[in-house]
């Protein structure tokens, strides 16, 4: 009985030491500060907003307006550099890398992906379009004259003749209404479609 208890205690101590040893080994992983600049292939212009990340982890960042980035990584990590319209670039930190920092310069190449051409038409087929164009009836003689009597009547109904003093008075009234309207609740406030007065 005592030997069994002694064996169980020994096994428990050994497993505790193994778990603690592996935890210490995980904590002892070497962190490398990856930093660099991303430029375009045809110039030295920096690219802002490029995603730099380690896949399948929560570690990642974007380049700033000067194209610079900085990201903590582990030796052996594969880093992906991706931007819309450019080919993905891959970078791998060597397993044997022991320095505190790793600097790089990455050049993006434009992606040569072409999208298919799409013709958008208001008709289902070209035949339907031709039939619709054939049915259009244009007037024989275009009427380029405007009936000025209708325009004059509309102007008379809408606008009133004013001299300079009346014009100034009207302008000041409009300005006062705007100033007062800034601090007042509108008269037609609606809550849930019901007007409140």
């Amino acid at each position: 009985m005592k030997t069994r208890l002694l064996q169980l205690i020994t096994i428990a101590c050994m497993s505790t030491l193994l778990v603690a040893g592996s935890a210490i080994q995980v904590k002892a992983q070497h962190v490398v500060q990856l930093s660099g600049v991303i430029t375009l292939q045809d110039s030295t212009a920096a690219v802002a907003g490029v995603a730099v990340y380690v896949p399948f982890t929560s570690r990642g960042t974007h380049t700033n307006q000067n194209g610079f980035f900085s990201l903590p990584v582990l030796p052996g990590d594969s880093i992906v550099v991706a931007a819309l319209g450019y080919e993905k670039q891959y970078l791998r930190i060597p397993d044997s890398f022991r320095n505190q920092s790793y600097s790089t310069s990455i050049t993006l190449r434009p992606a040569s992906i072409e999208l298919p051409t799409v013709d958008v038409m208001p008709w289902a087929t070209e035949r339907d379009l031709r039939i619709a164009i054939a049915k259009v009836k244009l007037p024989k003689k275009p009427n380029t004259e405007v009936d000025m009597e209708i325009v004059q009547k509309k102007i008379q109904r809408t606008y009133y003749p004013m001299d300079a003093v009346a014009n100034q008075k009207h302008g000041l009234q409009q300005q006062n209404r705007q100033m007062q309207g800034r601090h007042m609740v509108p008269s037609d406030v609606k809550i849930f479609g019901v007007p409140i007065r």
Side-chain angles (χ1 to χ4, degrees):
M1 183 77 147
K2 286 185 177 183
T3 57
R4 279 218 173 224
L5 185 60
L6 188 57
Q7 287 176 347
L8 287 173
I9 291 174
T10 307
I11 292 172
C13 288
M14 292 279 200
S15 61
T16 305
L17 287 173
L18 285 173
V19 170
S22 64
I24 291 169
Q25 188 178 10
V26 169
K27 288 182 182 177
Q29 282 185 333
H30 181 66
V31 177
V32 177
Q33 191 65 32
L34 172 67
S35 60
V37 63
I38 297 177
T39 58
L40 295 176
Q41 182 180 12
D42 57 348
S43 69
T44 58
V47 185
V50 176
V52 181
Y53 62 94
V54 180
F56 310 112
T57 66
S58 60
R59 289 177 280 141
T61 187
H62 286 88
T63 56
N64 65 7
Q65 68 267 12
N66 298 324
F68 290 102
F69 69 92
S70 182
L71 175 72
V73 295
L74 299 173
D77 277 350
S78 293
I79 295 92
V80 178
V81 178
L84 188 62
Y86 297 95
E87 294 177 2
K88 283 186 179 179
Q89 302 289 327
Y90 299 94
L91 174 70
R92 189 171 194 294
I93 305 297
D95 292 327
S96 60
F97 192 78
R98 294 290 168 236
N99 290 345
Q100 296 292 323
S101 63
Y102 188 95
S103 297
T104 184
S105 176
I106 299 171
T107 303
L108 292 179
R109 293 184 298 268
S112 59
I113 299 172
E114 290 187 23
L115 297 176
T117 304
V118 177
D119 294 328
V120 179
M121 297 174 53
W123 291 272
T125 63
E126 188 175 339
R127 182 175 178 269
D128 293 342
L129 173 64
R130 290 175 188 262
I131 291 170
I133 291 173
K135 288 182 180 178
V136 173
K137 295 183 181 175
L138 298 174
K140 302 278 185 198
K141 286 185 175 180
N143 187 5
T144 57
E145 294 182 22
V146 178
D147 190 3
M148 292 305 290
E149 288 182 27
I150 297 172
V151 175
Q152 288 291 337
K153 287 179 184 177
K154 188 172 182 179
I155 290 173
Q156 288 173 356
R157 278 192 312 245
T158 310
Y159 304 106
Y160 304 104
M162 290 188 227
D163 60 348
V165 174
N167 191 10
Q168 180 191 11
K169 194 182 287 186
H170 178 70
L172 290 173
Q173 286 174 351
Q174 295 292 326
Q175 200 172 27
N176 285 335
R177 282 188 199 140
Q178 286 178 352
M179 294 294 285
Q180 290 172 354
R182 289 181 184 172
H183 306 290
M184 297 182 72
V185 177
S187 60
D188 60 345
V189 174
K190 294 181 181 179
I191 296 181
F192 303 114
V194 179
I196 298 176
R197 298 190 195 263

